[in-house]
Amino acid sequence: MRILVIEDDEKIASFVVKGFRQAGHEVDWAADGDTGFARLREPGWEAAVVDIMLPFRDGLSLVRDARVAGIATPIIFLSAKREVDDRILGLQAGGDDYLVKPFAFSELLARVQALVRRATGVVEPVRLSVGDLEMDLVKRKVSRGRREIVLQPREFALLEYLMRHRGSVVSKIMLMEHVWDYSFDPETSVVETTVSRLRNKLNEGAEGQPELIRTVRGVGYVLGN
């Protein structure tokens, strides 16, 4: 999913953005209501998380203006206000859901996924598979055949991205942007190092099995045939 987070509290925003990225989603952040509204008008967002107390333009006004402008992106409010009347105001302004701070990220993720399912009718997969390689996105576990493979969070994110793009060549630039959220730096070897480590873990104990990650010289990497 491609998600926009509009939140002025940098600590909360960092927590939410990191959580979504670790769950394999693309996320951008806006720190005030005016910037958030401008970003929300851009096409391609599948969901937005909006704080109510924002500088320049509060969250209620932002969402109300977005709905008037014809923006149908599913939106969940975050707020420290927990009274029923506050929740009603949020929903009447055009919000699709309302979550009170403090909150567990797992609940926020589940609510956003539910909003997107209702809006698109598309169910997010809970498992990915390529040949004998299996990934459980809920339990965050990976196995090849009957062997469980223990991965670090970045290795898991890298493998998930490759599995979601199975059969397609994925460039180093794409991996830097979507797995590390870095601007491309031609001098860094972090992609090659992590791919090598991941490849070794996938191949361990899999003698005679086909190579899962192939390097396409000068282009990038491909998982599967």
Side-chain angles (χ1 to χ4, degrees), residues 8-28:
D8 66 318
D9 186 313
E10 187 172 350
K11 185 175 181 180
I12 294 175
S14 176
F15 166 70
V16 171
V17 168
K18 181 179 180 181
F20 280 128
R21 285 177 178 158
Q22 287 183 345
H25 304 297
E26 296 180 43
V27 194
D28 278 346

Side-chain angles (χ1 to χ4, degrees), residues 167-188:
S168 299
V169 178
V170 176
S171 70
K172 180 178 177 180
I173 294 175
M174 293 167 65
L175 292 174
M176 289 289 290
E177 290 179 347
H178 295 287
V179 178
W180 279 266
D181 192 39
Y182 293 164
S183 297
F184 181 63
D185 177 0
E187 299 302 320
T188 183

